[in-house]
Amino acid sequence: MAKGVFIIGTDTDVGKSVITAGLVYLLRRHGYNGVSYKAVQSGGIEENGRLISADARFVNNVAGLDESLERINGYCLKTPVSPHLAAQLEGVKLEKPVILKKYQWLCGKYDYVIAEGSGGLVVPLIDEGYMVYDFAKDLDLPVLVVSRTGVGTINHTMLTVKYAQAAGLRVKGMIMNGYKGSAAEEDNVKMVQKLTGLPVVGVIDRLEDVDVEKGTFGKLKEEFERKIDIQVLLEMMEDAKEVSIHE
């Protein structure tokens, strides 16, 4: 059974895909057989006459993966809204067994899977009865929360962590993204650790030339090599459990 971690963001566009790509790269850079998985991508892009997940493609490019995008992305939808609404607008039926079976297939091929949520924690993934946090519970992976470093992040991070814990998720820590070096950001990092009682396992700088849709990643690899301790990441992922499929 593969080990892994579930990436949850405090909000949309907080940098989950960038963090996911960096973590998969780091695993593979150190010789670990890692991959990413995104159950539902809304806001897919057209490429060579087909709709693809830019997030999945970005991870492939950064991490040097040669995996089919259809394998590491359960469903890809075009409309950039909540997955359940995008599916309704496009006449697509999202099925939980499909996304879980794709995850299990990856677990059979790879030793580590970094699963990425869609939007924030309390987002309808399939409908109002199956949220992102439900998906995280089904995978039963330890959780890393991705948050911003700037103004508002203490509130957003606390709310996300506490809700996740109340939902029964095993939150292991936070990765804070977009750091510019201000005193306020330094205090934010200290306060979220103090208030949540959880570690900030990495503070990632605001990086130039990083664009998920365009596929550019600048010095992302070097940043993760400098900022994330691979041993800390591996220890967090030891807590993964076997997944069973529920209809």
Side-chain angles (χ1 to χ4, degrees):
M1 176 62 193
K3 299 169 183 173
V5 69
F6 196 98
I7 303 297
I8 284 176
T10 55
D11 200 356
T12 301
D13 295 330
V14 73
K16 295 187 306 298
S17 297
V18 171
I19 299 302
T20 298
L23 294 180
V24 177
Y25 162 75
L26 200 61
L27 285 170
R28 299 184 70 82
R29 170 71 175 79
H30 286 270
Y32 297 97
N33 188 25
V35 72
S36 69
Y37 182 57
K38 185 156 188 168
V40 185
Q41 167 83 67
S42 54
I45 62 174
E46 296 280 352
E47 184 179 84
N48 299 323
R50 66 181 183 131
L51 188 66
I52 68 163
S53 165
D55 293 356
R57 183 190 63 182
F58 185 76
V59 176
N60 266 359
N61 290 343
V62 172
L65 269 169
D66 185 24
E67 186 57 83
S68 163
L69 296 184
E70 288 74 21
R71 289 289 191 185
I72 59 177
N73 172 217
Y75 290 92
C76 187
L77 305 164
K78 186 174 184 178
T79 314
V81 293
S82 179
H84 79 291
L85 179 57
Q88 290 176 19
L89 294 173
E90 296 172 34
V92 176
K93 183 180 179 182
L94 303 179
E95 299 183 59
K96 182 168 72 169
V98 171
I99 62 177
L100 292 180
K101 285 176 182 177
K102 285 195 174 187
Y103 172 76
Q104 285 192 320
W105 185 90
L106 292 173
C107 288
K109 182 177 179 180
Y110 295 89
D111 298 320
Y112 294 91
V113 182
I114 308 295
E116 179 189 344
S118 302
L121 179 66
V122 191
V123 170
L125 191 63
I126 294 178
D127 54 36
E128 66 279 4
Y130 193 70
M131 313 289 278
V132 167
Y133 65 81
D134 290 312
F135 177 51
K137 288 178 70 175
D138 278 341
L139 297 195
D140 203 8
L141 290 172
V143 169
L144 271 176
V145 173
V146 177
S147 61
R148 296 180 174 85
T149 56
V151 175
T153 196
I154 296 174
N155 181 60
H156 294 158
T157 304
M158 283 293 295
L159 289 173
T160 299
V161 168
K162 293 302 182 183
Y163 196 104
Q165 291 172 333
L169 299 177
R170 292 168 287 131
V171 184
K172 294 295 184 176
M174 293 79 63
I175 293 181
M176 301 186 73
N177 188 39
Y179 179 69
K180 298 178 184 178
S182 71
E185 289 173 301
E186 287 286 346
D187 186 69
N188 286 340
V189 173
K190 292 176 183 177
M191 287 303 295
V192 296
Q193 290 185 107
K194 180 178 180 180
L195 293 173
T196 63
L198 296 169
V200 171
V201 301
V203 180
I204 304 302
D205 287 352
R206 180 183 176 89
L207 299 172
E208 301 297 330
D209 301 321
V210 174
D211 189 306
V212 173
E213 288 199 5
K214 292 180 180 177
T216 59
F217 49 85
K219 295 184 177 180
L220 178 62
K221 295 179 180 181
E222 296 87 339
E223 180 71 358
F224 272 75
E225 289 177 13
R226 289 193 307 116
K227 297 293 186 65
I228 304 293
D229 186 331
I230 185 65
Q231 291 305 317
V232 171
L233 179 62
L234 291 172
E235 288 171 10
M236 287 184 173
M237 293 192 292
E238 288 294 326
D239 201 16
K241 300 179 181 179
E242 187 170 357
V243 176
S244 59
I245 295 176
H246 305 289
E247 297 293 338

